[in-house]
Structure formats: structure tokens, C-alpha cells
Amino acid sequence: MKSISIIVPCFNEEGNIEQLCKRITEMTSQHTQYSWKTVFVDDGSSDHTIEKIKAEREKNSMFALIALSRNFGKEAAILAGIDNVCCDCAIIMDADLQHPVDAIPLMIEQWEKGYDDVYAKRLYRGKESWLRKKLSMAYYSILQKMADIDILPNVGDFRLLDRKCIDALKAMRETQRYTKGLYCWIGYRKKEIIVNQEDRTEGKSSFNYVRLVNLAIEGITSYTTTPLRMSTLFGLLSSISAFIYMIFVFVKTLLFGEAVQGFPTIIIIILFLGGIQLISLGVIGEYLARIFHETKRRPNYFIKEIMK
């Protein structure tokens, strides 16, 4: 009998745990040809999420709990789940009920056909502001053009991973993780299924615009050095422009003389070049910060409690 694990990272999701467990139980009861395990990874919740999970575990031993010592972030929570599952394949999904449990059998069907990574592409993104939707699509477009690998647009963490994919992700221990990019980087046979993301009914998303911007920066600096190359290009173009302008001023002065003028032009040029320098330093700083964190070699997470 093949074994399947469902990894559910959660942070302050006390209002959704009971309903999610009910949906998972109903789904698994219709597919008894597999051995099921659902691993909830609590990422330092401050509400009663852990108590809700333990209560569901008492009803059904299929549910397991990994409680992290503090909030390490979703990427670390996913890694904790991947590190602690022993199965033929694993399904990663959110605890907020936005990922439809009914799509899991479709993923398994494609997995049985030989695909190693079956991911859910969102046709409908749920309740989301117009601005956030446009910014998300623009980010994916920019990252796709910059990165050396194909980044899948409108695809989140909801996916099925074969054992070989799980082992590949476990082997990569970087602390500055961008899991959506790692899924693409490891390769293997991929297959998409189309889903409609459901609306969140309980709780509030922890991903505000600030965290989404940080995630975007993480993705860009993880998989491309294009920003560094752009800084070099801007510097080169500025130097060439300055050299050409210097020749122009020199020739003009020799032929026609030069009165004391051009103060606004000088100020504009100084501010422009100063801005480019500061942006370039910021880009270099982002990459240096990643190197700084990676050289520490700290663990990605610590486990406070585990109930398998």
C-alpha cells in the first residue's frame, strides 16, 4: 500500500483546523487504497491552533503535530514537514481552507501516471484586491524574465511531490529559502491541474504588503544575479554619458568659450548619479546579507514538540 502524507503549515489558524480536518477525513475515507498521514506544522502560533490540532488527533490518529519553537516563517515550516515525513509522496497545502481538498485525488491520479511534481495552478485567486493581483502578476513576469529557470505564474505551494522530489528538497539546506523557486529548480516531471482557490472564511492572512515585498526580494535575489548586472550596466552607461558630455563641453569651450552657467544641470546630474549609486549599494547589500546569513549555517528551525 502506497503511503501519502499531507503537510499543512499553519500559523494562527484555530478557526480553520476543525473544518480542514473534516474535509481531509471525508476525502481519505473515499481512498482507502492509500495509507494517509496529515502532518500539521505549527509555526509558533499565538492562539489555540495547537490545542485544536491535538483535539483532532485524539479523534483520529491520522493527524500528527510538529510544533516549532517560535515563528520561523512558512518556508521553514514547509521544510520541517518535508524533513519529518516518511511516505511515497507528500501533498503541501495551506490551513486556511483556500486550497480545495477535492483537488487532491486529481493530483494523485497524475502522480500514478508517472509525474513527480503535480502543482495546482489557480484559475481564480479568491478574494483579493485589484492592486495585489496586478502586483503579483507583475512580479511573476519580472522574475520569469530575470531568472535562469522557469518560474510558474499563478502557482503557490499547493502541490504533490514524489519521494524523489522530497529527497531533493531535503538536500538543500539554505536558510534564505524561496520554496516556489526550489520546486522549479529541482526539475523532474511536472504536471499542472487547474483549481479555483477558495475564499478565506476564518482568520486573517499574515501576508501583508510588506511581507509580500520581502518575499519578492527573496525570490529575485535567490535565483538571479540580474540586479547586480543591471547596476553594472547603469554604471557603465553613466560613465559613457559623462565621458561624451565631457568631450562636448571641452570642444564647445575651445570653439565658443563658456560662461558660468548650467548650475541646475549639474545638480540634476549629481542627484541622478547619486541615486544610481545608492540603488546599486542597496542591491549589493541584499546579496551580501544573503551571504552573511548563509555563512552562519544556523538550523532552519527548532522543534518544540512533535506528536506523530
Side-chain angles (χ1 to χ4, degrees), residues 4-6 21 24-25 28 35-40 52-66 306-308:
I4 301 176
S5 294
I6 303 175
C21 290
I24 292 176
T25 301
T28 55
S35 173
W36 294 91
K37 195 75 174 180
T38 301
V39 181
F40 287 95
K52 291 285 186 179
I53 296 171
K54 289 181 178 179
E56 294 298 325
R57 187 177 184 277
E58 291 180 359
K59 301 176 187 177
N60 192 333
S61 60
M62 176 184 68
F63 300 114
L65 168 66
I66 298 173
I306 185 168
M307 301 175 68
K308 292 187 177 180

Side-chain angles (χ1 to χ4, degrees), residues 94-293:
D94 293 344
D96 55 12
L97 302 177
Q98 290 189 288
H99 293 163
V101 176
D102 294 341
I104 292 178
L106 299 177
M107 292 181 170
I108 297 174
E109 181 181 339
Q110 297 300 323
W111 173 58
E112 292 285 14
K113 292 180 180 179
Y115 291 99
D116 304 310
D117 181 355
V118 185
Y119 57 89
K121 185 172 183 178
R122 293 167 291 195
L123 185 63
Y124 169 68
R125 296 175 59 96
K127 289 181 179 179
E128 191 175 43
S129 68
W130 177 88
L131 178 61
R132 179 167 172 173
K133 185 180 298 183
K134 291 297 182 183
L135 288 176
S136 297
M137 298 308 297
Y139 161 69
Y140 281 119
S141 178
I142 293 171
L143 184 57
Q144 181 68 50
K145 293 176 181 177
M146 286 185 172
D148 297 327
I149 57 175
D150 290 331
I151 301 297
L152 304 171
N154 253 343
V155 175
D157 294 309
F158 187 29
R159 63 180 63 221
L160 180 149
L161 298 171
D162 184 76
R163 185 72 233 179
K164 59 174 69 75
C165 295
I166 296 172
D167 292 337
L169 291 172
K170 287 174 65 174
M172 293 183 287
R173 307 307 298 184
E174 62 242 51
T175 56
Q176 305 294 296
R177 301 180 70 84
Y178 181 68
T179 310
K180 295 179 181 64
L182 292 178
Y183 297 139
C184 300
W185 190 88
I186 60 175
Y188 297 108
R189 293 190 65 194
K190 300 185 183 298
K191 178 69 175 179
E192 75 172 31
I193 64 169
I194 304 298
V195 301
N196 285 320
Q197 183 167 289
E198 299 180 16
D199 297 326
R200 173 186 279 270
T201 57
E202 297 288 341
K204 183 180 179 181
S205 175
S206 60
F207 278 90
N208 52 32
Y209 282 105
V210 174
R211 294 191 65 180
L212 288 173
V213 169
N214 290 335
L215 183 64
I217 294 174
E218 191 73 35
I220 291 173
T221 55
S222 293
Y223 294 97
T224 177
T225 57
T226 301
L228 289 174
R229 294 175 182 173
M230 290 176 63
S231 298
T232 303
L233 180 62
F234 281 136
L236 183 62
L237 291 176
S238 299
S239 297
I240 293 174
S241 300
F243 182 74
I244 294 174
Y245 184 67
M246 180 187 69
I247 294 175
F248 169 76
V249 172
F250 181 73
V251 173
K252 182 181 178 182
T253 302
L254 288 177
L255 297 178
F256 307 105
E258 180 70 16
V260 179
Q261 59 182 7
F263 180 76
T265 304
I266 294 174
I267 295 298
I268 291 172
I269 292 175
I270 291 175
L271 291 177
F272 175 72
L273 294 178
I276 290 179
Q277 290 173 343
L278 291 175
I279 292 173
S280 300
L281 286 174
V283 171
I284 295 171
E286 286 292 334
Y287 284 93
L288 286 177
R290 294 184 60 80
I291 297 172
F292 172 70
H293 288 297

Side-chain angles (χ1 to χ4, degrees), residues 13-72:
E13 297 287 355
E14 61 178 356
N16 296 315
I17 297 299
E18 184 176 353
Q19 182 62 28
L20 178 60
C21 290
K22 181 181 178 181
R23 294 184 185 183
I24 292 176
T25 301
E26 291 175 352
M27 185 274 297
T28 55
S29 64
Q30 298 174 10
H31 298 84
T32 55
Q33 70 272 31
Y34 301 105
S35 173
W36 294 91
K37 195 75 174 180
T38 301
V39 181
F40 287 95
V41 184
D42 181 75
D43 189 24
S45 296
S46 57
D47 60 1
H48 299 288
T49 298
I50 292 181
E51 288 76 8
K52 291 285 186 179
I53 296 171
K54 289 181 178 179
E56 294 298 325
R57 187 177 184 277
E58 291 180 359
K59 301 176 187 177
N60 192 333
S61 60
M62 176 184 68
F63 300 114
L65 168 66
I66 298 173
L68 303 186
S69 60
R70 66 169 178 84
N71 179 246
F72 287 92

